[in-house]
Amino acid sequence: MTGTADEEPTGAEGPPPGAARRGPTWVILAVVAAALLVCCCSMAIGLAVSWSAGLLTAR
């Protein structure tokens, strides 16, 4: 079936080069955002526990 108008050109066999990077970029950003959220929440909990235990008050 060579030479028909319905065939795609040789270079159009997959997604565009930039499309392969979009998915992993969002995954990396989501992982970084989740890590920041976990770190900030654990810091806030640690400060609250330390403050309630009296470790942050001046003696």
Side-chain angles (χ1 to χ4, degrees), residues 2-36:
T2 59
T4 61
D6 293 335
E7 289 184 20
E8 295 180 356
T10 310
E13 294 177 357
R21 293 187 190 154
R22 280 187 223 136
T25 301
W26 287 112
V27 172
I28 291 170
L29 288 176
V31 168
V32 169
L36 286 173

Side-chain angles (χ1 to χ4, degrees), residues 18-56:
R21 293 187 190 154
R22 280 187 223 136
T25 301
W26 287 112
V27 172
I28 291 170
L29 288 176
V31 168
V32 169
L36 286 173
L37 182 67
V38 168
C39 289
C40 291
C41 287
S42 63
M43 180 199 63
I45 291 170
L47 282 174
V49 169
S50 298
W51 180 71
S52 67
L55 298 175
L56 299 178

